[in-house]
Amino acid sequence: MSLGIGRLERYVLARTLTGVAGALAVIGAVILLIDFVEVSRTVGGRGDAGFPRLLWLTLLKAPSTILTLLPFAFLFGTLAAFVGLNRRSELIAMRAAGVSAWRFILPAAAAAFVVGATTVAALNPLAAVLGAQFERSRDAVLEEFQTSKPKDTWLRQGDASSQVVIRAQSHDETDGTVRLKNVSMFVYRVNSSGGLEFSRRIEAEEARLMPGYWRLRGVREAAPGAGAVRSETLSIPSTLDEQAALERFTTPNAIAFWRLPATIRGAESAGFSALPYRLRLHQLLATPLLFAAMSVLAAAFSLRLMRLGGLAALAGSGVALGFVFFFFNQFSGALGKAEIIPAFAAAWAPPLLALLSGLTLLCYTEDGGIVRRRVAGRMKA
C-alpha cells in the first residue's frame, strides 16, 4: 500500500466527513432548541427579555455546548457512514479485493484528529469569547430585575513582594473596561520567609483598571496603628490586565485555549489554585485524540458483515459504549476538579482508553479474522 491517500481512501473519507457533518447538523439543531428552552426558563422567567434577546443569548451559548458534544458527531457520523457502506456491500467488495480495514479507517481517524486540532486552535477561542459574552449578557439581564442584593465580587493580584485581595459590591465591564464599585483592598507584604503580613486597607467608592494600575476615587486609607487618611484619587499598581480581570468573572470553559497558560501563571502568582484552568488546558490538548478515538471506535463496531447478522445490535453497542466513555470523561473531570486524581490523568485517561478499546476491537475483527481464516485453510489442507 502506498503512503499517499488513494481514490478508495478519499471515497471512504468523503463518506465519513459527510456523515459527521450530518450528525453535527442534527446535534446542533437539538442543542439550539434545548438551549433556547433553558435560557427562556432561567432568564426569561426572571427578567423582561423578549424573543430577540433570548435568541441572541441562545446563539451565544450554543457554540460552547456544541463543542462539548462534538465527539458524538464523530461517533454517530462515522458509525452511520460505515454502516451505510456495509449495507450497500461496499465494505464487502473492498475486503474481498484484499483491502485491509486499516487502510480506510486510519485516514478517517487522522481526519478526526486534524479536525480536533483545528477545533482547539480556532473554534475554541471563538466559542470562549461568545461564552464569556453570554455570561455577561445573562448577568446584565438578571441584575436589571433582581430584587436581592448582588453577591460581592472578589479579585486577587500579587507578585513576589506583595498580595492584594480586592472585594467589591458590584462590577461593570462596559466596553471591556473593568470598573468596581464600593471597593475594599487588603494589601499584604510578603516577608523574607514567604509569609504574608497585613500592610494596609484601602476603601474606595470606585476602582477602574488602567494599564498597569488601579485608579481609585473617593479613597480612605488606613494602616495598623495609624489613623485613616482620605484622598480624592489614588493609584495602586496592578499585575492584572483587562483581559485577565474579565477572566476572573468567568468559568474556565469561557477562557480561550491560547489564554489558558497566561491565566494559569496569573492565578498561581496571585495565590489562587490554578487546578481548574490546568485541567481545562489538558482536556483541550486531549480533544484531537478523543475525536480520533470516537472515529476508530465507531468504525470498529460497524465492520461486521451483513450476512452474518447482528450489525444493528453491534452498532447500538458502539453508541452505548460511546456514551459510557463520554460520561466517564465527565466523571474523570469531576475527580480532577476535586483533586482526587491528577489533572493530567483526568484529561488523558478517557480518550486513551477509548482509543485502545477501538484498536483492540479492530485487531480482533481484522487481524484476528485473517488468522482464523488461515488456520481453517491449513486444517482443511
Side-chain angles (χ1 to χ4, degrees):
M1 184 180 67
S2 62
L3 295 177
I5 298 180
R7 182 178 299 178
L8 177 63
E9 291 87 345
R10 289 197 300 269
Y11 172 75
V12 177
L13 182 59
R15 300 288 302 183
T16 302
L17 294 178
T18 301
V20 171
L24 180 60
V26 174
I27 292 175
V30 173
I31 288 176
L32 283 174
L33 179 60
I34 295 175
D35 281 348
F36 182 79
V37 174
E38 179 66 17
V39 170
S40 300
R41 183 182 65 84
T42 57
V43 178
R46 300 181 184 180
D48 188 13
F51 176 79
R53 199 167 189 179
L54 293 176
L55 181 60
W56 172 245
L57 290 174
T58 301
L59 294 177
L60 291 177
K61 181 184 179 182
S64 298
T65 310
I66 291 176
L67 290 185
T68 302
L69 298 179
L70 197 55
F72 284 110
F74 283 92
L75 177 66
F76 297 150
T78 305
L79 193 63
F82 277 85
V83 168
L85 292 173
N86 206 340
R87 289 185 181 278
R88 291 189 297 272
S89 300
E90 292 177 283
L91 288 184
I92 298 176
M94 294 177 193
R95 303 183 74 177
V99 178
S100 171
W102 299 99
R103 181 174 172 181
F104 48 80
I105 289 178
L106 290 183
F113 188 91
V114 172
V115 172
T118 304
T119 299
V120 172
L123 299 182
N124 170 263
L126 176 61
V129 171
L130 296 178
Q133 180 63 36
F134 164 76
E135 292 183 3
R136 291 193 293 267
S137 301
R138 179 198 57 193
D139 293 342
V141 172
L142 295 177
E143 286 176 3
E144 292 176 1
F145 299 94
Q146 64 184 1
T147 57
S148 59
K149 183 180 178 180
K151 295 182 179 180
D152 291 343
T153 298
W154 290 88
L155 292 173
R156 186 168 178 172
Q157 65 179 41
D159 52 27
S161 60
S162 65
Q163 296 283 331
V164 181
V165 179
I166 305 170
R167 181 189 66 84
Q169 291 186 0
S170 63
H171 68 274
D172 181 20
E173 304 159 24
T174 306
D175 300 329
T177 301
V178 178
R179 294 183 179 87
L180 305 179
K181 301 291 186 180
N182 299 324
V183 183
S184 298
M185 291 187 173
F186 305 90
V187 183
Y188 297 86
R189 290 192 305 266
V190 179
N191 56 32
S192 58
S193 62
L196 297 179
E197 297 178 355
F198 179 72
S199 175
R200 55 178 173 158
R201 175 174 176 172
I202 302 172
E203 303 281 347
E205 296 177 2
E206 182 185 73
R208 182 175 180 179
L209 182 60
M210 309 299 292
Y213 67 97
W214 289 97
R215 187 171 65 188
L216 310 181
R217 182 177 59 83
V219 182
R220 186 178 64 178
E221 182 178 359
V229 178
R230 296 181 179 271
S231 58
E232 185 63 27
T233 61
L234 181 67
S235 296
I236 298 294
S238 175
T239 58
L240 299 174
D241 56 18
E242 292 183 355
Q243 183 68 27
L246 290 174
E247 288 170 352
R248 302 294 173 86
F249 304 135
T250 60
T251 61
N253 291 345
I255 300 177
F257 169 73
W258 302 108
R259 288 285 306 176
L260 280 171
T263 303
I264 291 172
R265 291 192 298 268
E268 290 177 342
S269 65
F272 282 115
S273 172
L275 178 62
Y277 307 109
R278 197 178 300 278
L279 175 62
R280 178 61 176 168
L281 178 61
H282 281 297
Q283 287 176 335
L284 290 176
L285 290 174
T287 296
L289 185 64
L290 179 61
F291 287 4
M294 286 297 184
S295 181
V296 171
L297 195 65
F301 274 93
S302 57
L303 293 180
R304 184 179 178 86
L305 299 179
M306 286 291 297
R307 60 183 177 82
L308 298 179
L311 178 61
L314 192 62
S317 300
V319 172
L321 189 60
F323 275 100
V324 170
F325 279 122
F326 178 80
F327 288 112
F328 176 58
N329 189 27
Q330 300 299 311
F331 180 68
S332 296
L335 294 180
K337 290 179 182 179
E339 301 186 34
I340 298 176
I341 59 176
F344 180 86
W348 288 94
L352 282 174
L353 184 60
L355 180 62
L356 292 176
S357 299
L359 292 177
T360 301
L361 182 59
L362 272 177
C363 290
Y364 176 79
T365 303
E366 182 65 12
D367 300 334
I370 294 175
V371 171
R372 288 193 299 271
R373 288 193 296 270
R374 288 179 178 177
V375 171
R378 292 177 180 178
M379 292 179 64
K380 290 181 180 179

